[in-house]
Amino acid sequence: MSRAPFFSVVIPTYNRGGLILKTLGSVFSQTYRNFEVVVVDDGSTDDTARVLEPYSERGEIVYVMHERNRERASARNTGMERAAGDYLTFLDSDDLMYPTNLEDAARYVEADPEAKLFHNLYELVDEGGRVLCRYDFPPLSDPVRAITGGNFLSSVGVFIHRDIYASYRFDPAPVLTGSEDWEFWLRVVADYRPGRIEKVNNGVVQHGSRSTNSSELERLHERFAYLRDKISNDPHLKSVYGRSLKRLEAGALLYTSTVANLTRRHGEALRLLLRAASLDPRLAGSISFMKAFGIAVLRLDKGY
């Protein structure tokens, strides 16, 4: 009888046939070997299925295909349903694991066998691996403050125990697409205290297909209104986050300002940042806020 994997690496993908092999290569290059890879093809119409067929036939990946595109929330839910590991981590199909990612996570669990939720750090890189941006991460002494200030967990480098991934699901509401991971982590952090590996172990790859447009800016306002209302109407979440709703709104405005900067709507970005600062003056002292403010004021196009 084969031993169950310690880690499940869940990779949702959609029309990433030209990128996913590099992502898979970063997983198969791990120094720690007791893992499985679950790839959920969310109805790709390119050559993704053909590219992945040899890996599936050799048993190197568990390949699941949706009959139609159902967006990332549903793809991640399918991945959690098919996973068998003690711990699960998500990896987008255009991003990278650095070689000791899983080894460091295994050592973290060995040091703290009761760990249910923890993450490592990540950075933004170009397709050649050059570092474009090093992110700042909030202290975890106050998890509610950390997660309401913005989605620092994102969808890369987070490890969750089976107790979590067997019980929680991403909200597939279309209005939430793009922030389904933040809503998910808000619910998880309400019940589990996150830990951290203080090491950059993932690369988020900036490439031409990862684009942002002006129409997304309008959708963001609807998205965060949905998120705020969902918390306000859930007794448990309201008991945890009710006093932090202004900070959550400020964090949403900070994120929206980065999208405004990306689409060169710097005046809008500045307006959003000033509103965020009025809601949570302490957020204005963060590195993320100061970066966004500098770009908005100087009218810079940073490309990320």
Side-chain angles (χ1 to χ4, degrees), residues 7-27:
F7 293 112
S8 293
V9 181
V10 172
I11 305 176
T13 189
Y14 177 67
N15 288 348
R16 289 286 188 259
L19 296 170
I20 193 170
L21 292 187
K22 190 171 183 179
T23 297
L24 284 176
S26 76
V27 179

Side-chain angles (χ1 to χ4, degrees), residues 27-249:
V27 179
F28 294 136
S29 296
Q30 290 297 298
T31 56
Y32 183 90
R33 303 304 302 170
N34 187 15
F35 65 86
E36 67 170 358
V37 180
V38 181
V39 178
V40 181
D41 185 342
D42 194 28
S44 293
T45 57
D46 66 352
D47 62 347
T48 296
R50 180 185 61 79
V51 166
L52 294 178
E53 186 176 6
Y55 294 87
S56 179
E57 290 180 345
R58 292 193 298 264
E60 295 176 322
I61 66 172
V62 176
Y63 178 70
V64 185
M65 185 170 187
H66 287 169
E67 71 285 354
R68 58 179 176 80
N69 180 253
R70 289 152 51 184
E71 290 295 349
R72 286 166 291 187
S74 292
R76 292 188 183 120
N77 288 342
T78 297
M80 289 192 286
E81 291 164 4
R82 295 296 298 268
D86 292 336
Y87 288 83
L88 179 151
T89 186
F90 297 105
L91 182 67
D92 283 351
S93 58
D94 46 2
D95 294 335
L96 305 171
M97 278 187 172
Y98 294 165
T100 63
N101 183 301
L102 297 182
E103 179 181 349
D104 291 336
R107 288 179 176 174
Y108 185 93
V109 174
E110 183 179 2
D112 182 8
E114 299 303 314
K116 303 289 187 180
L117 167 66
F118 60 95
H119 78 108
N120 57 231
L121 310 184
Y122 53 86
E123 61 191 4
L124 185 71
V125 299
D126 64 17
E127 293 179 88
R130 182 174 64 92
V131 177
L132 300 174
C133 178
R134 289 266 168 82
Y135 298 104
D136 63 307
F137 294 84
L140 295 179
S141 54
D142 184 347
V144 169
R145 179 171 179 79
I147 194 63
T148 52
N151 184 22
F152 69 92
L153 291 173
S154 190
S155 56
V156 58
V158 189
F159 293 82
I160 54 177
H161 188 268
R162 184 186 292 109
D163 289 349
I164 295 177
Y165 79 76
S167 303
Y168 293 76
R169 289 293 179 266
F170 287 86
D171 184 342
V175 69
L176 199 56
T177 298
S179 293
E180 72 286 337
D181 49 350
W182 193 15
E183 189 274 341
F184 180 83
W185 297 127
L186 282 162
R187 284 187 283 117
V188 173
V189 171
D191 297 325
Y192 294 90
R193 189 179 187 90
R196 176 176 293 162
I197 298 171
E198 295 285 354
K199 182 179 177 182
V200 176
N201 263 343
N202 285 91
V204 176
V205 181
Q206 177 68 24
H207 53 79
S209 299
R210 181 168 283 188
S211 60
T212 305
N213 55 48
S214 297
S215 63
E216 183 177 345
L217 194 60
E218 280 66 47
R219 291 196 297 269
L220 285 172
H221 296 296
E222 298 177 14
R223 184 189 306 174
F224 293 127
Y226 175 91
L227 181 58
R228 182 191 62 242
D229 291 344
K230 186 170 184 179
I231 291 173
S232 298
N233 293 323
D234 183 294
H236 176 52
L237 293 179
K238 187 176 181 179
S239 71
V240 175
Y241 296 115
R243 296 181 179 179
S244 302
L245 286 176
K246 284 187 177 181
R247 178 170 174 80
L248 186 140
E249 184 178 353

